[in-house]
Amino acid sequence: MTSDTKWIIGTTVPTVVAAAGLVAGLVSAQVSGVHARIDGLEARIDERLDRMDERLDRMDARLDGIDSRLDGLDARLRAVEVEFARVDQRLETLERAILPGPDG
């Protein structure tokens, strides 16, 4: 092996190793940056999901309140229907007593 060959190998190999190390460092920095952005995105998504959960909880509470009020309204409406049926029955009784029948 000549001295020129030794010199070429001696300067090329460290240069290639240094370049590979530089590329590896740059790739590592890029990957770290991507991980940081993903972590930030996950935090924002978690925050929005928490806010959505809070909103859904408030909506559930309001709907539960509406359901309980509708139950009370149903009971009151049923009571009105029963009283109306009584009035209707009394009116029919009065009509039969006061108005003449179809045969005259």
Side-chain angles (χ1 to χ4, degrees):
M1 191 180 294
T2 65
S3 64
D4 288 341
T5 305
K6 289 180 184 177
W7 179 82
I8 290 172
I9 292 173
T11 57
T12 305
V13 170
T15 303
V16 169
V17 170
L22 179 64
V23 169
L26 291 174
V27 169
S28 175
Q30 290 293 322
V31 169
S32 295
V34 169
H35 282 285
R37 291 183 71 184
I38 289 173
D39 290 342
L41 182 62
E42 285 177 350
R44 286 176 34 204
I45 290 172
D46 288 343
E47 180 184 326
R48 288 188 182 188
L49 287 175
D50 290 342
R51 283 189 287 168
M52 288 299 295
D53 285 343
E54 290 171 6
R55 287 180 182 174
L56 290 173
D57 289 343
R58 287 194 309 261
M59 287 175 59
D60 283 343
R62 288 194 334 225
L63 288 174
D64 289 343
I66 290 171
D67 283 345
S68 65
R69 283 183 285 193
L70 287 177
D71 290 342
L73 183 63
D74 285 344
R76 292 188 339 217
L77 183 59
R78 182 68 186 139
V80 168
E81 288 173 343
V82 168
E83 288 302 316
F84 185 74
R86 286 182 187 166
V87 170
D88 191 41
Q89 186 178 20
R90 288 178 186 159
L91 180 61
E92 285 180 14
T93 303
L94 286 172
E95 286 175 345
R96 272 189 257 122
I98 294 173
L99 298 175
D103 52 352

